[in-house]
Amino acid sequence: MNQFTSQHRKFLYLGGILLLLIPIIRLGMPGDSSGKNAGTIAEMRTRLDLGESNLGDIDPSGAAMNLVLLGLRGVAANILWVQADEQKSHKDWAAMRATTESIIRLQPHFVKVWEYNGWNLAYNVSAEWDAVSDRYYWVKEGGKFLQQGVKRNRSSSDLLWHTGRIYGPKIGLSDEARFFRRYFRADPDPQFKGGVDPAWNERDEDNYIAAKDWFAKGNDVEGQGNRQTIMDRSIFRSYPARSQLDYASALQKYGFNEEYDRRAADRKLSESEQEALQLEVREQLREQNRAAWEQGFQEWTQKYGQELFTVDYRGNIVTIKMEMNEDDVSDIARSPEETKVLMQAVTAYQNMTNYRYWRTRTLCEAEPETAEAHWLLFAAMEEYRKQNLEKAREYAERVMTLLEGVFKKYPELDVEEDLVEDGINAVMIWQYAYRLSGERPPAEYPLKALYDSRASEMTEYERRFNRRFLPY
Amino acid sequence: MDFDPQAFEFSAAIWSWLLICGSAAAILAAVSLFFCLVSRGGAGATAWANEIVGILQDVISISPRRVFALAQLTFREAIRRKALLVFVVFAILFMFAGWFLSASSLAPEFQVKVYVTFVLRAISWLLLPVVLLLSCWGLPEDIKQRSLHTVVTKPARRLEVVLGRMLGFATVGTIVLVVMAGVGWGWIRRQLPEEAQKQLTCRQPVFGELRFNDREGNPATAGINVGDVWEFYSYIEGATKARAIWTFHDITPDVLDADGNLRLENRFQAFRSHKGDMRRSLYYQYVLVNPETGLRVPTSLKTVVEFRGRTDLLPRALPRVGEAAQEKAGEAADGKGAYDLIDDLVSKQPVLNPETKEVLIPAGSLQVEVACVDPGQYLGMARPHLFIRMPDRSFEAGYMKAVFGIEMMMLLVVVLGVTASTFVKGPVATMLTFCLLVIGQSAREFMSKLVNNEEQGGGTFESIYRLLYHMNPVTELPDNPATTAMRAIDNSMVSLMWLFYNIIPDFGFFSRSLTYLANGFDVSFNNAVLPGMVITLGYLIPCVLLGCFCLRNRELEAK
């Protein structure tokens, strides 16, 4: 038994409490209005940008939840993760989505949590659904989820990049790309009445242009000293320019049908009206597409190509930029050895980012002849579909002549599969048109060398060619 | 929909209850007699008999008036202990719940699921701890404060004390539950977006039995697994003879809707092995079959609506398809030009096994075969994924049944808590009841696997051994005396586990009501409400007797 009375004990406890309060106050005291005279912890929080408001928008509900859980946040988060996984395997999407929301309220600044769940919704959950419109809904959910993450974590360049990836490659490169791209401009959800989902495509623009914006924001944040942790910096910084190139490619591939259908809407057009509209759209897109490639060239060479990268190349710390040739390297190098190392570094990084290829490709695609060849091939296909064989042959022959000129000017592009396939398709239409008219095609023709060099892959080219004329 | 509502085996449950209660009573009687004899010799047997007679007298001479008076006392005590403060927590939770439930972008039927689940779970999770604490601390506190002396010195029997406590706490819990349920209902109606309000309904399903045919048309136990971790769904391959065949019983004109249509609702899953035509969902087709005559009537192709479900209206007069069918129709439908769904497709006689004369399919049955039409693609399904949808009931009716399910669970917690408090002190009683609740809610599946020897890797000691020696669960253990001894100990522990498994209540039955309602179904009386009532009653009777016995023999002077 101790000798203290109850009153003594209470005083003792009070004294202990006051004693412990001194270091707590000293360490955790908030700063004054100027942010000065803060406690050690508060000062460190400000210095390291770890304050809730410094990291991003404050979520009161999440903060309340964390407080209520006292020290059990980790336990609660673990239970929720297990639940979410089980709900996913049980295909209980509503519950899984709700659990995901709860998880991020507990872990709002854990970037990997946002990344994982954003990916999960946009890729894994989306793939579980059969209807393309449902898949698109979950792609949007994944993207919107990441946007939420961006708001809560302003200094995360990773999250901005991941958001850009949903807008860009997920919508534009998936198997459902031709549906997803249209849905991006005309949402299938009845509540949007055929227009855009304003929370998803606020400015009613192409998905790759939206992606470019997110990638550019990612670059801005990264440029402010917030390191990205996804890939080599030289590749990471190329994404805005790459999005412009993807935009130009998509315009070439899907642009005509998308624009034609948008303009025709639900109108019933006579055959002559259809032809007039097709011509109009073709003319508009020819220039629009060429301009997109030209802008792509500018952004690839003048923006991305001029960025400085300090890299460790075989033990040498060198500063390079992608748009560098031997003359540029010689100008800045102080010795022949340095020239050699610098040139090797530039070449290695250009190869890694495919810089030279895209440079040539954009240059070539921005040529009026190439643009003309693409749209003539499109016209040839349309005529062939309608079995207007003479017109189809005439267009195809013009494509072949134009592309022969392009390949002569840019011989390195004979590995560019899209362009090569366009050439092979033109030759196929040209040959079929002859044969279906009961004539033998001439032995010599433009692009013959290219066509012959791909003889071993012709079955695959034919399969793909025929697929273009299937109903879907 | 991820639940498969299996029928509650009422008669089996009663037999099981009688067996367990009888065995437990016999064991308890034998053990207590043994101790009486050991401690007091021949006089012990007399004391034991007197005790049994005393309990029986307690039961026979129970006075509802005294029980009610004790319940009133308990009720007042509970209010005095500020039990109703739970409303404050409840109010705060619902004031801010909207922040946590950002489900507005979800499809309406999914929003309903999120909101309904939240409300019913919140009510359960707030109510149960309150009644658990009240019931576990009531009697021990009375003993500690010696206020129980004022009761036991009155002509009140111990059984009445136990019953009065239970009734009093149950009344408090019921009042709290009714208020919370009312607020919860109002909250759902107010918070749920207008579009989703239309989905607040209670489907009345008629489920059938499901079997499969494989791609060659032979009977199979299940379809194909297309790689899902969860093996609930079975898939049938498109453009083959693979079929999912549902047999519905007791089909009469009453199952048709007001317009004379049979409403078949399905929740099929699509699985594509190649992209195919992405502009449309996969096709499926129903073939209605009379199991007695073998008459088969195909319907038109329909497209799958995944996860949301699709309701198909099949008219009573089914149009004939093709010439062969027309010929048959001439025979079967008396040349009327169409098959009658009830007269021609529902069996009038039972289908018997030709050898054993056993009834395979009873009279009044209709078979629905489901085929996937697209080659190379698959349709996934489980038993509850096709049902006949009867006219819907109001959401409120289902909601009340779900609340009744919570009420039953709350009553069981009160019963267990009060019983535990008759033989142990408050904190121990709380821990005991809490453990029973947690195990009964979440660990019964695991226990079932252990006691039925379905869990790979053996019991406790075998598992430890395997962990230490890095052996996977299927590796054979060396055949030696140590292994034999280890397994013998494990088996004895599993036997003990078997005992606990049969004693611990299955709280899973109580959450069935929630699952029904959250999935948009009317809460089935036979599969959800009745099991809850039967389980609660099944524990009430032995618990009251046990509580009475313990309280009669408890030293009330001991704090």
Side-chain angles (χ1 to χ4, degrees):
Chain A
M1 291 294 286
N2 62 50
Q3 302 299 311
F4 296 117
T5 64
S6 169
Q7 198 178 24
H8 283 143
R9 274 207 304 279
K10 281 171 190 163
F11 276 121
L12 199 66
Y13 296 150
L14 191 65
I17 291 167
L18 288 175
L19 205 67
L20 287 170
L21 271 177
I22 294 168
I24 292 172
I25 292 170
R26 182 77 198 89
L27 290 169
M29 191 168 62
D32 55 24
S33 56
S34 61
K36 288 177 182 166
N37 302 321
T40 314
I41 293 176
E43 186 270 320
M44 281 174 78
R45 189 166 52 226
T46 312
R47 183 160 46 84
L48 299 173
D49 253 5
L50 289 174
E52 208 38 40
S53 57
N54 301 40
L55 292 170
D57 290 357
I58 294 172
D59 170 25
S61 58
M65 205 192 235
N66 282 329
L67 279 175
V68 169
L69 284 167
L70 303 170
L72 293 173
R73 182 171 76 152
V75 178
N78 273 340
I79 292 170
L80 287 174
W81 274 102
V82 172
Q83 271 184 8
D85 194 51
E86 191 179 308
Q87 284 155 352
K88 185 183 154 200
S89 60
H90 284 201
K91 301 172 195 281
D92 191 351
W93 311 121
M96 197 207 83
R97 184 73 183 86
T99 310
T100 309
E101 280 294 323
S102 304
I103 291 172
I104 50 104
R105 283 180 201 285
L106 290 179
Q107 302 176 312
H109 303 305
F110 197 157
V111 171
K112 287 288 169 197
V113 172
W114 290 100
E115 273 179 35
Y116 173 85
N117 284 310
W119 167 278
N120 199 24
L121 294 171
Y123 287 78
N124 299 336
V125 176
S126 156
E128 289 282 345
W129 291 71
D130 190 49
V132 182
S133 54
D134 286 332
R135 291 183 184 202
Y136 179 71
Y137 167 82
W138 286 100
V139 169
K140 273 200 312 183
E141 281 294 291
K144 287 177 181 175
F145 182 83
L146 283 170
Q147 287 179 2
Q148 244 180 298
V150 166
K151 280 183 193 159
R152 306 262 169 84
N153 300 277
R154 280 197 291 260
S155 57
S156 171
S157 48
D158 287 11
L159 281 180
L160 286 157
W161 184 87
H162 284 293
T163 314
R165 185 174 54 164
I166 305 276
Y167 273 100
K170 180 58 195 167
I171 290 180
L173 285 183
S174 57
D175 291 336
E176 299 84 358
R178 64 198 173 106
F179 299 99
F180 283 178
R181 278 180 51 82
R182 284 168 184 252
Y183 291 158
F184 193 68
R185 308 291 298 273
D187 203 286
D189 191 332
Q191 65 171 306
F192 302 116
K193 295 174 183 152
V196 293
D197 173 355
W200 179 236
N201 183 12
E202 197 183 348
R203 293 197 291 261
D204 192 5
E205 57 198 356
D206 190 274
N207 70 298
Y208 281 115
I209 297 297
K212 184 170 126 179
D213 193 35
W214 284 98
F215 287 132
K217 283 180 194 162
N219 276 3
D220 292 346
V221 172
E222 195 268 349
Q224 289 158 12
N226 300 297
R227 272 191 62 209
Q228 57 83 25
T229 59
I230 305 168
M231 59 186 76
D232 189 86
R233 188 167 175 267
S234 60
I235 304 176
F236 183 87
R237 306 239 3 137
S238 73
Y239 271 84
R242 275 297 306 273
S243 284
Q244 176 64 33
L245 307 184
D246 289 338
Y247 164 66
S249 292
L251 206 58
Q252 201 163 292
K253 195 170 177 184
Y254 305 109
F256 177 82
N257 287 330
E258 287 172 356
E259 187 60 27
Y260 177 84
D261 289 347
R262 196 165 22 243
R263 289 216 203 165
D266 295 329
R267 285 184 295 155
K268 279 198 172 172
L269 301 175
S270 66
E271 206 165 305
S272 59
E273 282 173 329
Q274 282 178 20
E275 275 183 17
L277 184 59
Q278 281 177 2
L279 194 66
E280 201 178 310
V281 172
R282 207 178 297 159
E283 287 305 313
Q284 175 205 325
L285 282 180
R286 189 207 319 255
E287 183 45 34
Q288 193 179 336
N289 203 187
R290 200 198 60 74
W293 280 113
E294 196 169 296
Q295 189 179 342
F297 177 75
Q298 291 300 322
E299 290 184 12
W300 189 250
T301 57
Q302 299 308 310
K303 265 182 151 175
Y304 171 61
Q306 300 303 324
E307 287 206 29
L308 296 176
F309 297 100
T310 302
V311 298
D312 182 351
Y313 183 74
R314 294 185 177 174
N316 301 296
I317 305 295
V318 291
T319 299
I320 58 167
K321 55 183 182 179
M322 295 297 161
E323 187 63 24
M324 257 181 157
N325 54 29
E326 281 187 44
D327 295 338
D328 299 328
V329 169
S330 305
D331 286 348
I332 57 168
R334 283 163 296 189
S335 65
E337 288 75 27
E338 199 179 338
T339 309
K340 196 177 161 195
V341 170
L342 214 50
M343 201 57 231
Q344 280 176 346
V346 170
T347 309
Y349 273 82
Q350 282 182 340
N351 289 342
M352 190 166 79
T353 54
N354 233 356
Y355 183 80
R356 306 287 329 165
Y357 164 77
W358 282 111
R359 191 183 192 284
T360 314
R361 172 90 194 272
T362 48
L363 205 56
C364 155
E365 294 286 2
E367 298 271 4
E369 289 79 14
T370 320
E372 178 74 7
H374 285 307
W375 293 107
L376 279 173
L377 177 64
F378 187 83
M381 290 264 188
E382 285 301 302
E383 296 302 335
Y384 181 71
R385 191 192 303 275
K386 294 177 199 160
Q387 288 294 289
N388 292 334
L389 297 176
E390 204 158 316
K391 269 193 168 180
R393 190 172 68 192
E394 183 196 323
Y395 286 142
E397 199 164 333
R398 282 170 63 191
V399 175
M400 289 151 66
T401 311
L402 284 167
L403 284 183
E404 175 128 301
V406 170
F407 281 119
K408 256 186 199 151
K409 193 169 177 183
Y410 303 100
E412 61 271 42
L413 282 180
D414 68 352
V415 294
E416 207 300 283
E417 200 40 55
D418 286 351
L419 208 57
V420 168
E421 191 168 355
D422 280 358
I424 301 280
N425 284 341
V427 177
M428 280 179 179
I429 293 173
W430 178 77
Q431 287 179 344
Y432 289 153
Y434 267 113
R435 284 180 195 142
L436 288 168
S437 313
E439 295 174 49
R440 186 190 291 268
E444 291 302 321
Y445 52 88
L447 292 183
K448 185 172 187 302
L450 179 83
Y451 189 80
D452 290 345
S453 70
R454 296 293 202 278
S456 60
E457 299 154 49
M458 211 45 74
T459 320
E460 178 58 20
Y461 281 123
E462 274 175 3
R463 191 186 67 80
R464 292 213 290 262
F465 177 80
N466 290 330
R467 269 188 70 178
R468 287 173 181 246
F469 299 100
L470 288 175
Y472 56 84
Chain B
M1 187 168 56
D2 60 350
F3 81 109
D4 190 5
Q6 299 290 339
F8 179 67
E9 300 286 342
F10 187 72
S11 54
I14 296 288
W15 277 115
S16 169
W17 180 81
L18 283 174
L19 189 71
I20 292 167
C21 285
S23 313
I27 292 167
L28 198 65
V31 171
S32 55
L33 178 60
F34 175 76
F35 278 108
C36 285
L37 287 171
V38 168
S39 60
R40 296 161 72 178
T46 316
W48 181 84
N50 285 340
E51 183 63 31
I52 299 292
V53 171
I55 293 174
L56 289 175
Q57 272 181 344
D58 271 8
V59 175
I60 293 161
S61 52
I62 192 165
S63 155
R65 196 169 57 86
R66 286 196 295 267
V67 171
F68 184 67
L70 284 161
Q72 269 187 318
L73 181 72
T74 309
F75 181 81
R76 283 199 203 107
E77 266 179 26
I79 302 296
R80 226 174 283 144
R81 283 187 184 143
K82 300 184 175 57
L84 299 185
L85 272 180
V86 68
F87 286 131
V88 177
V89 183
F90 183 72
I92 292 171
L93 188 68
F94 273 69
M95 273 163 69
F96 299 105
W99 290 6
F100 298 92
L101 294 175
S102 55
S104 56
S105 65
L106 285 171
E109 57 273 25
F110 294 148
Q111 291 185 35
V112 167
K113 189 171 185 176
V114 171
Y115 278 73
V116 170
T117 307
F118 167 75
V119 167
L120 293 179
R121 285 247 165 88
I123 292 174
S124 305
W125 289 355
L126 286 175
L127 177 69
L128 292 183
V130 172
V131 293
L132 191 148
L133 289 171
L134 282 176
S135 58
C136 290
W137 287 82
L139 273 175
E141 275 295 297
D142 281 357
I143 294 171
K144 194 177 172 186
Q145 309 283 343
R146 298 191 175 169
S147 55
L148 195 64
H149 291 63
T150 58
V151 176
V152 292
T153 48
K154 300 275 184 314
R157 296 176 180 276
R158 303 293 161 96
L159 185 75
E160 290 162 355
V161 173
V162 174
L163 268 178
R165 285 275 155 198
M166 287 178 181
L167 189 61
F169 293 133
T171 310
V172 176
T174 305
I175 290 171
V176 173
L177 176 64
V178 168
V179 175
M180 281 185 178
V183 173
W185 174 80
W187 188 83
I188 291 176
R189 282 288 181 195
R190 196 179 151 79
Q191 284 285 115
L192 205 60
E194 198 181 346
E195 190 62 25
Q197 294 272 351
K198 293 173 197 153
Q199 300 290 330
L200 280 177
T201 184
C202 282
R203 293 172 178 80
Q204 276 198 85
V206 174
F207 291 110
E209 289 164 9
L210 172 64
R211 64 184 176 85
F212 288 91
N213 280 354
D214 66 16
R215 68 195 313 275
E216 270 91 35
N218 302 316
T221 49
I224 295 168
N225 183 342
V226 293
D228 284 341
V229 178
W230 193 42
E231 293 180 344
F232 188 54
Y233 286 87
S234 264
Y235 288 78
I236 52 171
E237 189 178 344
T240 66
K241 290 179 182 171
R243 299 283 183 276
I245 304 163
W246 271 268
T247 307
F248 296 99
H249 303 300
D250 303 323
I251 302 300
T252 62
D254 295 343
V255 301
L256 305 179
D257 68 9
D259 301 325
N261 297 314
L262 181 73
R263 296 173 87 198
L264 276 179
E265 184 162 318
N266 70 63
R267 305 282 168 100
F268 299 146
Q269 278 254 304
F271 178 82
R272 293 179 185 240
S273 62
H274 59 89
K275 289 284 177 184
D277 185 353
M278 284 189 281
R279 292 171 305 175
R280 65 162 175 86
S281 293
L282 300 188
Y283 281 132
Y284 66 90
Q285 186 182 32
Y286 295 125
V287 178
L288 304 182
V289 182
N290 183 328
E292 181 195 354
T293 63
L295 175 66
R296 301 168 62 82
V297 179
T299 62
S300 57
L301 303 187
K302 298 165 198 320
T303 51
V304 174
V305 180
E306 264 191 323
F307 302 113
R308 296 194 184 94
R310 169 182 172 133
T311 308
D312 298 312
L313 297 179
L314 304 185
R316 178 164 180 169
L318 290 157
R320 291 171 300 174
V321 182
E323 281 184 21
Q326 277 181 18
E327 281 172 23
K328 274 195 170 181
E331 295 162 19
D334 205 16
K336 286 182 290 189
Y339 294 113
D340 186 283
L341 199 146
I342 301 293
D343 295 341
D344 299 328
L345 288 160
V346 176
S347 62
K348 293 185 176 60
Q349 299 293 325
V351 178
L352 305 175
N353 182 324
E355 287 167 12
T356 60
K357 301 298 174 195
E358 181 195 353
V359 176
L360 295 176
I361 303 170
S365 299
L366 166 72
Q367 282 188 335
V368 180
E369 282 188 10
V370 176
C372 174
V373 177
D374 295 280
Q377 316 289 32
Y378 296 80
L379 272 191
M381 55 205 71
R383 194 182 77 89
H385 293 149
L386 180 72
F387 56 86
I388 298 171
R389 186 169 169 182
M390 307 284 282
D392 292 351
R393 287 214 170 113
S394 73
F395 172 74
E396 282 67 25
Y399 184 77
M400 277 164 69
K401 285 192 216 169
V403 171
F404 184 74
I406 299 174
E407 166 81 9
M408 287 296 116
M409 180 148 68
M410 182 270 294
L411 286 183
L412 184 53
V413 171
V414 167
V415 167
L416 294 173
V418 171
T419 310
S421 70
T422 57
F423 56 89
V424 285
K425 289 185 178 175
V428 187
T430 307
M431 281 304 292
L432 178 62
T433 315
F434 180 71
C435 286
L436 288 176
L437 182 62
V438 171
I439 295 170
Q441 186 97 33
S442 54
R444 276 191 65 90
E445 200 182 330
F446 175 64
M447 286 173 85
S448 162
K449 280 185 183 170
L450 277 180
V451 298
N452 294 317
N453 215 11
E454 290 167 3
E455 190 74 15
Q456 285 186 328
T460 313
F461 286 96
E462 190 180 324
S463 301
I464 293 171
Y465 179 84
R466 286 178 184 279
L467 278 173
L468 288 175
Y469 287 92
H470 296 204
M471 294 169 82
N472 71 44
V474 290
T475 310
E476 281 295 317
L477 290 183
D479 193 11
N480 57 35
T483 306
T484 314
M486 188 167 66
R487 284 191 167 148
I489 297 169
D490 277 348
N491 284 340
S492 61
M493 288 173 75
V494 167
S495 303
L496 195 66
M497 176 77 83
W498 179 87
L499 191 67
F500 284 120
Y501 177 70
N502 281 290
I503 290 175
I504 294 173
D506 187 351
F507 280 94
F509 276 104
F510 298 102
S511 48
R512 274 193 180 186
S513 324
L514 187 153
T515 317
Y516 272 106
L517 193 68
N519 282 291
F521 287 91
D522 185 29
V523 178
S524 159
F525 181 81
N526 288 336
N527 296 342
V529 180
L530 184 64
M533 290 164 68
V534 169
I535 290 171
T536 306
L537 192 67
Y539 279 88
L540 176 72
I541 296 167
C543 282
V544 167
L545 292 175
L546 179 68
C548 171
F549 174 74
C550 294
L551 205 58
R552 283 173 68 90
N553 291 285
R554 187 160 178 179
E555 177 51 73
L556 297 180
E557 281 302 315
K559 289 183 186 176

